Amino acid sequence: MPTYKNEKSYPISFGRHYWVPGEEKRVPFFIPAEEIGLTVVSDDPKPRSQVLYSGEVTVPPGETVTLPVPYCGKLSLQAATEGDDVAEIHLGERAIRLDGNYGLDLDSLDWGRLGEISLSSSAGATVNLLVMEVS
């Protein structure tokens, strides 16, 4: 978590964070320190990326690939197959078909209703998947 210090003679606030003069505080995200008058003490460790998963998932014929989704409040999910590949993405108890005509683009899903993503394909498929944390 980045660390910032108030070296001014007056209090400084940003969002719900407040620094009294001389106070040093770690926050779980970057803030515009220079613009609000704080000094950057450290950028490390860097905040966790909003990208939870990005890449191609190879689904062998007749098999299911399950990917755990790291905890976050809400997330967006995009999934699409390559070429003529056909697959299903399983979100909870629902299966959604992915093929050359239909991909999936969902925003603001509750993590508590998901937890993991499963992909299956009877003939095998490559699925491009992007999962991101959203506010």
Side-chain angles (χ1 to χ4, degrees), residues 68-90:
V69 178
Y71 174 75
C72 66
K74 293 197 179 286
L75 57 103
S76 69
L77 183 145
Q78 296 175 356
T81 56
E82 292 188 354
D84 294 330
D85 290 356
V86 176
E88 285 188 334
I89 185 166
H90 304 267

PDB file of all heavy atoms in Angstrom, residues 68-90:
ATOM      1  N   PRO A  68     -10.919 -20.013 -10.190  1.00  0.00           N
ATOM      2  CA  PRO A  68     -11.392 -19.248  -9.043  1.00  0.00           C
ATOM      3  C   PRO A  68     -11.267 -17.757  -9.330  1.00  0.00           C
ATOM      4  O   PRO A  68     -10.360 -17.328 -10.041  1.00  0.00           O
ATOM      5  CB  PRO A  68     -10.454 -19.673  -7.916  1.00  0.00           C
ATOM      6  CG  PRO A  68      -9.221 -20.155  -8.602  1.00  0.00           C
ATOM      7  CD  PRO A  68      -9.654 -20.676  -9.946  1.00  0.00           C
ATOM      8  N   VAL A  69     -12.183 -16.964  -8.819  1.00  0.00           N
ATOM      9  CA  VAL A  69     -12.138 -15.517  -8.995  1.00  0.00           C
ATOM     10  C   VAL A  69     -11.722 -14.911  -7.659  1.00  0.00           C
ATOM     11  O   VAL A  69     -12.420 -15.102  -6.665  1.00  0.00           O
ATOM     12  CB  VAL A  69     -13.507 -14.955  -9.439  1.00  0.00           C
ATOM     13  CG1 VAL A  69     -13.460 -13.445  -9.565  1.00  0.00           C
ATOM     14  CG2 VAL A  69     -13.939 -15.586 -10.755  1.00  0.00           C
ATOM     15  N   PRO A  70     -10.580 -14.199  -7.610  1.00  0.00           N
ATOM     16  CA  PRO A  70     -10.166 -13.580  -6.345  1.00  0.00           C
ATOM     17  C   PRO A  70     -11.266 -12.666  -5.808  1.00  0.00           C
ATOM     18  O   PRO A  70     -11.992 -12.041  -6.567  1.00  0.00           O
ATOM     19  CB  PRO A  70      -8.931 -12.756  -6.725  1.00  0.00           C
ATOM     20  CG  PRO A  70      -8.445 -13.354  -8.001  1.00  0.00           C
ATOM     21  CD  PRO A  70      -9.667 -13.887  -8.698  1.00  0.00           C
ATOM     22  N   TYR A  71     -11.349 -12.598  -4.479  1.00  0.00           N
ATOM     23  CA  TYR A  71     -12.415 -11.812  -3.866  1.00  0.00           C
ATOM     24  C   TYR A  71     -12.338 -10.343  -4.279  1.00  0.00           C
ATOM     25  O   TYR A  71     -11.284  -9.726  -4.310  1.00  0.00           O
ATOM     26  CB  TYR A  71     -12.369 -11.877  -2.334  1.00  0.00           C
ATOM     27  CG  TYR A  71     -13.382 -10.936  -1.753  1.00  0.00           C
ATOM     28  CD1 TYR A  71     -14.733 -11.262  -1.774  1.00  0.00           C
ATOM     29  CD2 TYR A  71     -13.011  -9.689  -1.272  1.00  0.00           C
ATOM     30  CE1 TYR A  71     -15.686 -10.377  -1.292  1.00  0.00           C
ATOM     31  CE2 TYR A  71     -13.959  -8.796  -0.781  1.00  0.00           C
ATOM     32  CZ  TYR A  71     -15.290  -9.147  -0.809  1.00  0.00           C
ATOM     33  OH  TYR A  71     -16.228  -8.261  -0.351  1.00  0.00           O
ATOM     34  N   CYS A  72     -13.498  -9.799  -4.588  1.00  0.00           N
ATOM     35  CA  CYS A  72     -13.693  -8.371  -4.796  1.00  0.00           C
ATOM     36  C   CYS A  72     -15.182  -8.126  -4.647  1.00  0.00           C
ATOM     37  O   CYS A  72     -15.979  -9.060  -4.731  1.00  0.00           O
ATOM     38  CB  CYS A  72     -13.181  -7.909  -6.162  1.00  0.00           C
ATOM     39  SG  CYS A  72     -14.087  -8.573  -7.558  1.00  0.00           S
ATOM     40  N   GLY A  73     -15.595  -6.906  -4.424  1.00  0.00           N
ATOM     41  CA  GLY A  73     -17.012  -6.616  -4.251  1.00  0.00           C
ATOM     42  C   GLY A  73     -17.809  -6.883  -5.517  1.00  0.00           C
ATOM     43  O   GLY A  73     -18.726  -7.676  -5.555  1.00  0.00           O
ATOM     44  N   LYS A  74     -17.422  -6.203  -6.596  1.00  0.00           N
ATOM     45  CA  LYS A  74     -18.114  -6.351  -7.881  1.00  0.00           C
ATOM     46  C   LYS A  74     -17.084  -6.541  -8.980  1.00  0.00           C
ATOM     47  O   LYS A  74     -15.934  -6.122  -8.856  1.00  0.00           O
ATOM     48  CB  LYS A  74     -18.966  -5.125  -8.171  1.00  0.00           C
ATOM     49  CG  LYS A  74     -20.125  -4.966  -7.209  1.00  0.00           C
ATOM     50  CD  LYS A  74     -21.161  -4.017  -7.773  1.00  0.00           C
ATOM     51  CE  LYS A  74     -22.329  -3.866  -6.847  1.00  0.00           C
ATOM     52  NZ  LYS A  74     -23.202  -5.020  -6.829  1.00  0.00           N
ATOM     53  N   LEU A  75     -17.509  -7.179 -10.063  1.00  0.00           N
ATOM     54  CA  LEU A  75     -16.590  -7.425 -11.162  1.00  0.00           C
ATOM     55  C   LEU A  75     -17.304  -7.342 -12.493  1.00  0.00           C
ATOM     56  O   LEU A  75     -18.525  -7.420 -12.579  1.00  0.00           O
ATOM     57  CB  LEU A  75     -15.916  -8.790 -11.004  1.00  0.00           C
ATOM     58  CG  LEU A  75     -16.832 -10.009 -10.907  1.00  0.00           C
ATOM     59  CD1 LEU A  75     -16.856 -10.755 -12.224  1.00  0.00           C
ATOM     60  CD2 LEU A  75     -16.334 -10.912  -9.803  1.00  0.00           C
ATOM     61  N   SER A  76     -16.506  -7.137 -13.539  1.00  0.00           N
ATOM     62  CA  SER A  76     -17.023  -7.222 -14.900  1.00  0.00           C
ATOM     63  C   SER A  76     -16.370  -8.432 -15.544  1.00  0.00           C
ATOM     64  O   SER A  76     -15.284  -8.846 -15.152  1.00  0.00           O
ATOM     65  CB  SER A  76     -16.723  -5.949 -15.697  1.00  0.00           C
ATOM     66  OG  SER A  76     -15.344  -5.842 -15.954  1.00  0.00           O
ATOM     67  N   LEU A  77     -17.056  -8.996 -16.523  1.00  0.00           N
ATOM     68  CA  LEU A  77     -16.581 -10.210 -17.160  1.00  0.00           C
ATOM     69  C   LEU A  77     -16.853 -10.129 -18.650  1.00  0.00           C
ATOM     70  O   LEU A  77     -17.969  -9.789 -19.054  1.00  0.00           O
ATOM     71  CB  LEU A  77     -17.312 -11.403 -16.544  1.00  0.00           C
ATOM     72  CG  LEU A  77     -16.909 -12.780 -17.017  1.00  0.00           C
ATOM     73  CD1 LEU A  77     -17.016 -13.746 -15.859  1.00  0.00           C
ATOM     74  CD2 LEU A  77     -17.778 -13.240 -18.161  1.00  0.00           C
ATOM     75  N   GLN A  78     -15.836 -10.428 -19.446  1.00  0.00           N
ATOM     76  CA  GLN A  78     -15.992 -10.512 -20.894  1.00  0.00           C
ATOM     77  C   GLN A  78     -15.439 -11.860 -21.335  1.00  0.00           C
ATOM     78  O   GLN A  78     -14.352 -12.255 -20.905  1.00  0.00           O
ATOM     79  CB  GLN A  78     -15.242  -9.398 -21.597  1.00  0.00           C
ATOM     80  CG  GLN A  78     -15.771  -8.024 -21.280  1.00  0.00           C
ATOM     81  CD  GLN A  78     -14.939  -6.923 -21.906  1.00  0.00           C
ATOM     82  OE1 GLN A  78     -13.912  -7.161 -22.519  1.00  0.00           O
ATOM     83  NE2 GLN A  78     -15.376  -5.694 -21.728  1.00  0.00           N
ATOM     84  N   ALA A  79     -16.190 -12.556 -22.168  1.00  0.00           N
ATOM     85  CA  ALA A  79     -15.756 -13.866 -22.659  1.00  0.00           C
ATOM     86  C   ALA A  79     -16.182 -14.021 -24.106  1.00  0.00           C
ATOM     87  O   ALA A  79     -17.284 -13.627 -24.486  1.00  0.00           O
ATOM     88  CB  ALA A  79     -16.366 -14.982 -21.806  1.00  0.00           C
ATOM     89  N   ALA A  80     -15.292 -14.598 -24.914  1.00  0.00           N
ATOM     90  CA  ALA A  80     -15.586 -14.853 -26.324  1.00  0.00           C
ATOM     91  C   ALA A  80     -14.723 -16.015 -26.787  1.00  0.00           C
ATOM     92  O   ALA A  80     -13.599 -16.196 -26.317  1.00  0.00           O
ATOM     93  CB  ALA A  80     -15.288 -13.621 -27.169  1.00  0.00           C
ATOM     94  N   THR A  81     -15.260 -16.802 -27.714  1.00  0.00           N
ATOM     95  CA  THR A  81     -14.484 -17.896 -28.283  1.00  0.00           C
ATOM     96  C   THR A  81     -13.748 -17.412 -29.521  1.00  0.00           C
ATOM     97  O   THR A  81     -14.044 -16.341 -30.057  1.00  0.00           O
ATOM     98  CB  THR A  81     -15.388 -19.081 -28.672  1.00  0.00           C
ATOM     99  OG1 THR A  81     -16.398 -18.606 -29.564  1.00  0.00           O
ATOM    100  CG2 THR A  81     -16.026 -19.712 -27.453  1.00  0.00           C
ATOM    101  N   GLU A  82     -12.796 -18.209 -29.961  1.00  0.00           N
ATOM    102  CA  GLU A  82     -12.031 -17.872 -31.170  1.00  0.00           C
ATOM    103  C   GLU A  82     -12.557 -18.676 -32.354  1.00  0.00           C
ATOM    104  O   GLU A  82     -12.893 -19.854 -32.211  1.00  0.00           O
ATOM    105  CB  GLU A  82     -10.549 -18.169 -30.959  1.00  0.00           C
ATOM    106  CG  GLU A  82      -9.903 -17.252 -29.946  1.00  0.00           C
ATOM    107  CD  GLU A  82      -8.397 -17.437 -29.903  1.00  0.00           C
ATOM    108  OE1 GLU A  82      -7.858 -18.342 -30.568  1.00  0.00           O
ATOM    109  OE2 GLU A  82      -7.761 -16.653 -29.177  1.00  0.00           O
ATOM    110  N   GLY A  83     -12.608 -18.044 -33.514  1.00  0.00           N
ATOM    111  CA  GLY A  83     -13.005 -18.726 -34.749  1.00  0.00           C
ATOM    112  C   GLY A  83     -14.344 -19.413 -34.643  1.00  0.00           C
ATOM    113  O   GLY A  83     -15.334 -18.822 -34.229  1.00  0.00           O
ATOM    114  N   ASP A  84     -14.367 -20.698 -35.016  1.00  0.00           N
ATOM    115  CA  ASP A  84     -15.603 -21.478 -34.991  1.00  0.00           C
ATOM    116  C   ASP A  84     -15.806 -22.226 -33.679  1.00  0.00           C
ATOM    117  O   ASP A  84     -16.720 -23.047 -33.572  1.00  0.00           O
ATOM    118  CB  ASP A  84     -15.601 -22.495 -36.145  1.00  0.00           C
ATOM    119  CG  ASP A  84     -15.659 -21.810 -37.508  1.00  0.00           C
ATOM    120  OD1 ASP A  84     -16.239 -20.709 -37.593  1.00  0.00           O
ATOM    121  OD2 ASP A  84     -15.113 -22.378 -38.481  1.00  0.00           O
ATOM    122  N   ASP A  85     -14.968 -21.984 -32.695  1.00  0.00           N
ATOM    123  CA  ASP A  85     -15.079 -22.681 -31.413  1.00  0.00           C
ATOM    124  C   ASP A  85     -16.411 -22.378 -30.740  1.00  0.00           C
ATOM    125  O   ASP A  85     -16.943 -21.270 -30.846  1.00  0.00           O
ATOM    126  CB  ASP A  85     -13.951 -22.272 -30.463  1.00  0.00           C
ATOM    127  CG  ASP A  85     -12.597 -22.804 -30.900  1.00  0.00           C
ATOM    128  OD1 ASP A  85     -12.536 -23.559 -31.891  1.00  0.00           O
ATOM    129  OD2 ASP A  85     -11.599 -22.466 -30.236  1.00  0.00           O
ATOM    130  N   VAL A  86     -16.935 -23.379 -30.035  1.00  0.00           N
ATOM    131  CA  VAL A  86     -18.172 -23.234 -29.266  1.00  0.00           C
ATOM    132  C   VAL A  86     -17.877 -23.714 -27.844  1.00  0.00           C
ATOM    133  O   VAL A  86     -17.270 -24.766 -27.646  1.00  0.00           O
ATOM    134  CB  VAL A  86     -19.320 -24.073 -29.869  1.00  0.00           C
ATOM    135  CG1 VAL A  86     -20.567 -23.993 -28.998  1.00  0.00           C
ATOM    136  CG2 VAL A  86     -19.625 -23.616 -31.290  1.00  0.00           C
ATOM    137  N   ALA A  87     -18.295 -22.937 -26.879  1.00  0.00           N
ATOM    138  CA  ALA A  87     -18.081 -23.286 -25.478  1.00  0.00           C
ATOM    139  C   ALA A  87     -19.261 -22.796 -24.653  1.00  0.00           C
ATOM    140  O   ALA A  87     -20.127 -22.075 -25.154  1.00  0.00           O
ATOM    141  CB  ALA A  87     -16.784 -22.658 -24.961  1.00  0.00           C
ATOM    142  N   GLU A  88     -19.292 -23.200 -23.411  1.00  0.00           N
ATOM    143  CA  GLU A  88     -20.268 -22.688 -22.468  1.00  0.00           C
ATOM    144  C   GLU A  88     -19.521 -22.122 -21.277  1.00  0.00           C
ATOM    145  O   GLU A  88     -18.526 -22.698 -20.827  1.00  0.00           O
ATOM    146  CB  GLU A  88     -21.216 -23.791 -21.979  1.00  0.00           C
ATOM    147  CG  GLU A  88     -22.235 -24.195 -23.003  1.00  0.00           C
ATOM    148  CD  GLU A  88     -23.270 -25.150 -22.437  1.00  0.00           C
ATOM    149  OE1 GLU A  88     -22.968 -25.882 -21.458  1.00  0.00           O
ATOM    150  OE2 GLU A  88     -24.386 -25.171 -22.969  1.00  0.00           O
ATOM    151  N   ILE A  89     -19.994 -20.984 -20.778  1.00  0.00           N
ATOM    152  CA  ILE A  89     -19.464 -20.415 -19.556  1.00  0.00           C
ATOM    153  C   ILE A  89     -20.533 -20.613 -18.492  1.00  0.00           C
ATOM    154  O   ILE A  89     -21.709 -20.334 -18.725  1.00  0.00           O
ATOM    155  CB  ILE A  89     -19.064 -18.935 -19.727  1.00  0.00           C
ATOM    156  CG1 ILE A  89     -18.407 -18.404 -18.457  1.00  0.00           C
ATOM    157  CG2 ILE A  89     -20.234 -18.072 -20.158  1.00  0.00           C
ATOM    158  CD1 ILE A  89     -17.691 -17.070 -18.641  1.00  0.00           C
ATOM    159  N   HIS A  90     -20.119 -21.160 -17.356  1.00  0.00           N
ATOM    160  CA  HIS A  90     -21.045 -21.483 -16.277  1.00  0.00           C
ATOM    161  C   HIS A  90     -20.850 -20.470 -15.155  1.00  0.00           C
ATOM    162  O   HIS A  90     -19.775 -20.367 -14.578  1.00  0.00           O
ATOM    163  CB  HIS A  90     -20.781 -22.906 -15.758  1.00  0.00           C
ATOM    164  CG  HIS A  90     -20.844 -23.929 -16.845  1.00  0.00           C
ATOM    165  ND1 HIS A  90     -21.992 -24.621 -17.145  1.00  0.00           N
ATOM    166  CD2 HIS A  90     -19.908 -24.352 -17.731  1.00  0.00           C
ATOM    167  CE1 HIS A  90     -21.754 -25.446 -18.155  1.00  0.00           C
ATOM    168  NE2 HIS A  90     -20.498 -25.296 -18.532  1.00  0.00           N
TER     169      HIS A  90
END
